[in-house]
Every structure is written in structure tokens, then in C-alpha cells.
Amino acid sequence: MKRVDIISLGCSKNLVDSERLMAQLRANNISVAHDPDVPQGEVAVINTCGFIGDAKEESINTILQFADAKQRGKLKKLYVMGCLSERYREELQEQIPEVDKFYGKFDWNGIVKELGATYRRDLMNERSLTTPGHYAYLKISEGCNRMCSYCAIPLITGPHTSRPMEEIREEVRKLAASGVKELQVIAQDLSSYGTDLYHANKLAELVDSLTEIDGIEWVRLHYAYPAGFPHDILDVMARNPKVCNYLDLALQHASDHVLTLMRRHITQEKTVALLDEIRQRVPGIHIRTTMITGHPGETEEDFAELEEFVRQQRFERLGVFAYSHEDDTYAFKHYEDNVPEEVKQERADRIMSIQEGISAEVNQAKVGKTMRVMIDRREGDHYIGRTEFDSPEVDPEIVVNGNAEIGQFRDVKITGAEDYDLIGEAQN
């Protein structure tokens, strides 16, 4: 029996692809390991990210690390797939000849066959979970039609393509039967779900139906787009206790000047109105967003608007990217990358400094409250968990003292708060 190491880089959407590949290989009696630091088997497959500069650099460094292991006889075969390979296959073939073969993001038949296995269409939605068994990522669509100035994703993944609702529900039934209680619903653009298949947005209907599947307790939504936002999802959040009061809504900027340059098709006024509506219709919701600093043409006045917007909106969760000038994007073709790198990063740091104070105040307001917590793991004498307001990997966690059980919910009284994480006592 051959062993294959699969290394998954980048976002959770990539992770789902790796999990599907792992399921195909295991169905062919091939032993698979996920994310070893050094090669453990005869063959390694690296599933790459090609989103922005830092992610591409991580992917290339990982390929080079495994290519070196192959040269030293620690590995027989090395294959590369995913977004970076989809976008830069010819260049990678020339620069890293130690890789036996490069595959794109969607060539499942080819890579499975190359590994001596038979691709089984009846297992196309089966996955070998790499997350803890109580939660899973659920990808409901692929691609994007938005064509924002800075974003290479449509160039890699193609146009927005929704998965049929019944196919998604069948996958969730299988996940729930395996013990999954919590779904992280992901897509590049949740706001467009269903528009291609059903000629209407079907996100609210889909999410409602997922909560009816036995075993599913939490459904959390990631990566909605503000322009064309599906307002009926707010009704589902407000009335359905299984839908987490959490929304990942990527805003990217607040200055109308920069939003126009970014081709975001929304203004600051409309953004504020949307945020006001979300908070009014779903009291207590936690909104996660991302901002980009240093987009071509961003002035000090534009950045000052962004700073004030972040101060005023007081997002519960916020991340910042310094702009990356990506090949073949609209910005790459039409704008000069005219904000110095040190200025981009300094502006990003200033936004995160503001957010650090906001986050500390948001956390402090939770002290004394008893919250429902999913227990993810144990560390030393403590358990680590999350509330409905916390997505794995990216959001704060709760250090839980007392008795608990991994993969189960527990009522926890919050007794302390740090800038980003909480401390609590499990309740009897």
C-alpha cells in the first residue's frame, strides 16, 4: 500500500479540495497523511494557494522544501496542484523541474489517475475531514463574477458556479451522520448563491434547510459581498437559533474614491446603511470584515476616511491586508502600484491598532455572561472552545476551566477577557 502526503495551503476552500482528494485515494486503498512537516510517504501532493504575494511565497517555499527532500532521496514523487499551479503552470515547470507534474485546481481525474487510483464519480462529494470531527467547512459554490480590481481569484477559479441545493444537503447529511455538528458555509461570494442555477438568490432557503438536518446545531456564514447582499438571510438569522449570529462580510474600504477604483460597485453611504440594517434586524450579531490598505490611488485623505469608518463601525472581527499588485488583474493592467510598501504596511498596522482596542472592549463586555461554547480541544489543564461568534482559525477562542468534553457544547461563564481571547468557567 502506497502512502501519499497531502499538504494543503491557503484558504478553507482549498482545504475542502484536499479532503475530497484524500477520500478518493483512501477509496483506492491508498494510505494518506495530511500536512506533515516533512515527507513521511513515497509521494507528496502540494495543494497550493495563488491569491496574494505572501500566499504565493508560502506555496513556492513549500514546493522547494519538498523538492529538496526529493533530491535527498526522502521522496520518490512530487506533484503540485491548486490555485498557484492553475495560474503559473508553465513558469513553475521551468523553474522547479524537480516536480514530477503540475495540475490545476480542477483536474481531479488526472491527479487521481497519476497516483495509480481510479477516480470514482460516485464519491465526488465524499471527504476525509482534516478538521476536528465536530465541525466541517461546506463549500457551496466556486468562482466569482465580481472582477474587483485587486483580485486574481476569478482568473484562477473562473465564473461563479453554484452547487445544486440537493447535492449540498446530501453532503451535509453524510457529514452529520459522521458526527459533524457545526458547518462553516464558505464560498468566494455567498451573496450570489443560486443566481446561476435558479435565477434567484437561494442562500436563505439553503441555510434554512441545512438546519433541518438531524445533528446540525450551528451554521456560520463566510464571505458575503455587500453589493447585491441577500437581505432575506437576515430573517433566517433572526428567527433560526441554529444559524449563528455571525457574518463574514468583506468590505475592503470605506472611501468612495477607493471603492470606485476597486470596482466594488458600492458607496460608503450604502455600506453604512447595510451595516445598520444588519445590526437592527439581527441584534447582537458579530460582523467580521477585511480591509485593504495601499490600493493604487489611495491617498492620505482616503485612508483617514477608512480609519474613521473603522472607529465608528466598531466591527467585532476585522483583518487587514496590505495591497498586493497581482498579475493580470484590472489594477495590474490599469493602475500604477504607487503606494510604497512601507506605507501600505504602516497603514495596515494603524488599522489593526484601532481594532485591537475595539476588540478588547467587545471582549470585556462579555465578562459575567454565560455563553454556549463548542469545545474544540484540550491544552494542558484547560479546554479551548468557541462561541457562535467565533469561526475556527481566524477568531478569538475561550480558555475553559473545569470539566468539558471535546466536540460537545458547554455553558461557560466568562470570567476574564484579553485583547482577543476570553477566559471562562464551565458551568454544572
Side-chain angles (χ1 to χ4, degrees), residues 53-242:
D54 288 347
K56 291 190 289 188
E57 183 178 356
E58 180 189 19
S59 291
I60 290 170
N61 287 341
T62 303
I63 296 169
L64 292 174
Q65 174 192 342
F66 277 78
D68 179 67
K70 184 187 174 195
Q71 287 186 311
R72 290 185 288 108
K74 303 294 185 182
L75 188 66
K76 291 184 178 179
K77 294 285 186 178
L78 175 59
Y79 302 101
V80 173
M81 62 179 288
C83 293
L84 188 75
S85 185
E86 178 79 28
R87 195 166 178 217
Y88 297 107
R89 190 179 317 198
E90 291 184 6
E91 295 95 322
L92 290 169
Q93 286 171 341
E94 292 178 6
Q95 295 172 11
I96 316 178
E98 295 84 359
V99 174
D100 291 278
K101 200 163 185 179
F102 289 89
Y103 290 88
K105 185 171 174 59
F106 304 109
D107 189 5
W108 293 92
N109 284 338
I111 195 164
V112 171
K113 183 178 179 181
E114 181 73 25
L115 295 172
T118 300
Y119 182 81
R120 291 178 52 179
R121 289 196 60 81
D122 60 314
L123 300 179
M124 63 183 296
N125 293 316
E126 295 285 339
R127 291 158 58 188
S128 291
L129 293 184
T130 59
T131 54
H134 52 275
Y135 73 80
Y137 293 98
L138 179 70
K139 183 159 57 171
I140 66 171
S141 66
E142 193 71 79
C144 184
N145 294 340
R146 301 285 185 169
M147 302 304 290
C148 300
S149 66
Y150 51 83
C151 187
I153 287 174
L155 305 175
I156 299 169
T157 61
H160 175 264
T161 306
S162 302
R163 294 177 60 197
M165 283 194 283
E166 185 48 45
E167 178 184 296
I168 295 170
R169 286 192 285 260
E170 179 59 27
E171 179 177 353
V172 172
R173 283 189 282 267
K174 291 177 180 178
L175 290 170
S178 74
V180 169
K181 299 179 177 68
E182 177 185 355
L183 300 173
Q184 321 297 338
V185 178
I186 56 174
Q188 189 58 38
D189 177 13
L190 284 184
S191 295
S192 295
Y193 176 75
T195 55
D196 52 328
L197 281 181
Y198 307 109
H199 308 294
N201 191 288
K202 293 290 185 177
L203 181 64
E205 180 181 338
L206 173 67
V207 169
D208 233 356
S209 71
L210 297 182
T211 66
E212 297 172 358
I213 295 172
D214 287 344
I216 298 302
E217 295 291 330
W218 274 356
V219 178
R220 188 179 288 104
L221 304 179
H222 298 75
Y223 319 126
Y225 197 97
F229 180 80
H231 295 261
D232 54 348
I233 192 63
L234 302 177
D235 296 327
V236 177
M237 283 185 171
R239 64 172 167 74
N240 191 329
K242 291 187 176 182

Side-chain angles (χ1 to χ4, degrees), residues 223-354:
Y223 319 126
Y225 197 97
F229 180 80
H231 295 261
D232 54 348
I233 192 63
L234 302 177
D235 296 327
V236 177
M237 283 185 171
R239 64 172 167 74
N240 191 329
K242 291 187 176 182
V243 182
C244 296
N245 286 348
Y246 176 104
L247 181 64
D248 193 328
L249 181 70
L251 299 178
Q252 313 302 18
H253 216 280
S255 157
D256 286 350
H257 173 232
V258 176
L259 288 169
T260 299
L261 291 173
M262 287 181 166
R263 308 172 85 205
R264 293 289 288 174
H265 307 294
I266 198 167
T267 62
Q268 181 179 148
E269 182 180 5
K270 289 181 178 178
T271 301
V272 170
L274 174 62
L275 292 169
D276 288 347
E277 180 187 1
I278 292 170
R279 288 172 170 143
Q280 180 180 5
R281 291 173 62 179
V282 189
I285 191 171
H286 280 39
I287 298 175
R288 161 169 279 282
T289 194
T290 52
M291 300 296 175
I292 296 174
T293 57
H295 185 280
E298 182 190 59
T299 64
E300 283 292 345
E301 291 76 15
D302 294 325
F303 179 70
E305 276 195 65
L306 178 59
E307 284 186 298
E308 183 60 21
F309 178 76
V310 171
R311 288 192 188 97
Q312 292 293 324
Q313 290 300 320
R314 296 181 60 79
F315 295 103
E316 289 79 10
R317 313 280 185 250
L318 183 144
V320 182
F321 294 97
Y323 171 79
S324 178
H325 207 46
E326 293 300 309
D327 298 342
D328 298 325
T329 59
Y330 184 92
F332 185 86
K333 293 177 179 178
H334 295 88
Y335 305 145
E336 179 187 355
D337 187 12
N338 59 0
V339 179
E341 292 299 323
E342 61 272 18
V343 174
K344 295 177 187 177
Q345 191 57 55
E346 188 263 343
R347 289 175 180 176
D349 292 342
R350 282 164 61 182
I351 294 294
M352 286 312 301
S353 178
I354 296 169

